[in-house]
Amino acid sequence: MSWYRNTVWFVKGLREYTRGGYESASKRFNPADVEVDMAGRSFLVTGANSGIGKATAKEIARRGGTVHLVCRNKERAEVAKEEIVTETGNQNIFLHIVDISNPKEIWKFAEKFRNEHKLNVLINNAGCMVNNRELTEDGLEKNFATNTLGTYIMTTALVPLLEKAADARVRQQVVLTEQWAKAHRNIHFSVMHPGWADTPAVRSAMPDFYERMKNSLRTEAQGADTVLWLAVSAEATKLPSGLFFQDRQPVPTHLPLAYTHSPPEDEEKLMEVLEEFSQKFKSASPGI
């Protein structure tokens, strides 16, 4: 029975993550939620040169926000910036070249950024799906370095700047979001699932899945919709900090019968380990 129930939930969940799931959910969206003027507010989007990151940055730019694009590849990033400026007419688009898998580089960038800019919203979008074991120059596994440690350091380093801002917001991974929401009451933390969208990351990292599902995948803009809503909508901050969202609604962080819950002590240990790692690389960064 448990196998059957899990299979039903998997199929149901997969359908909800496709374009059809988005189109169904969007019938209850209030367009006014994101029809807002973001002039005077500053946003930082990591991994913003393509996919959901670029789509999010572009929609924020359309609304007049100042957008800082944090990207690894300078050539692709400059093309993305030019596209965003051209399509939106917003000149307040700034480019920063940072490798999110390099912790020393993140510390150096964040220190400089804190001294030169203000920040209202941090959108941790950068991530990778490396299928074979690959180590960074610091000897860290690439997925961990990018998806967990890198985004941990980026957020930790910029929290002091966010603490100074009105209506500060962050998007981050599930456990980290829950832990930070408890620790920083002045900042609204949230995390979301974009569904399965037709992005370069999905095409390159999951080629077989992409071939099977390509006609059902969400567009990049559909994948970015909830990120945008969480970043700009007044409705988002009426909900508690630390929640997990899908299609503009809070949803459970665990599937029924999936047995993926972790005990509080494990989550606390994770935060301790990440802090130890982050401080190790902070002390190794020049000028910090």
Side-chain angles (χ1 to χ4, degrees), residues 14-15 32 68 93 100 114 157 236 246 261:
L14 186 61
R15 186 167 58 246
H68 295 272
I93 312 298
I100 302 299
R114 285 205 311 260
Q246 180 184 335
H261 290 268

Side-chain angles (χ1 to χ4, degrees), residues 151-171:
T151 45
Y152 176 88
I153 294 174
M154 181 68 78
T155 305
T156 299
L158 293 177
V159 157
L161 189 58
L162 289 161
E163 290 276 12
K164 300 175 184 177
D167 189 17
R169 310 185 192 189
V170 178
R171 173 197 172 240

Side-chain angles (χ1 to χ4, degrees), residues 10 14 18 202 206-217:
F10 173 77
L14 186 61
T18 63
V202 170
M206 306 171 68
D208 294 339
F209 173 83
Y210 174 75
E211 283 302 317
R212 290 196 304 270
M213 299 294 296
K214 61 184 178 183
N215 295 325
S216 301
L217 297 177

Side-chain angles (χ1 to χ4, degrees), residues 22 29 191-194 218 221-231 245-249:
Y22 174 84
F29 292 175
V191 62
M192 57 80 68
H193 194 303
R218 299 180 178 201
Q222 289 172 341
D225 177 81
T226 298
V227 185
L228 178 70
W229 183 81
L230 289 168
F245 289 83
Q246 180 184 335
D247 292 331
R248 302 192 189 184
Q249 279 196 328

Side-chain angles (χ1 to χ4, degrees), residues 172-225:
Q172 185 46 267
Q173 293 185 5
V174 177
V175 172
L176 301 186
T177 294
E178 294 171 342
Q179 295 297 314
W180 273 323
K182 297 173 186 175
H184 304 284
R185 302 292 184 179
N186 295 332
I187 303 173
H188 194 272
F189 288 85
S190 51
V191 62
M192 57 80 68
H193 194 303
W196 292 111
D198 189 347
T199 66
V202 170
R203 292 195 292 271
S204 63
M206 306 171 68
D208 294 339
F209 173 83
Y210 174 75
E211 283 302 317
R212 290 196 304 270
M213 299 294 296
K214 61 184 178 183
N215 295 325
S216 301
L217 297 177
R218 299 180 178 201
T219 65
E220 292 175 347
Q222 289 172 341
D225 177 81

Side-chain angles (χ1 to χ4, degrees), residues 119-131:
L119 183 63
N120 297 98
V121 181
L122 169 61
I123 300 174
N124 287 304
N125 166 78
C128 66
M129 291 185 284
V130 179
N131 295 323

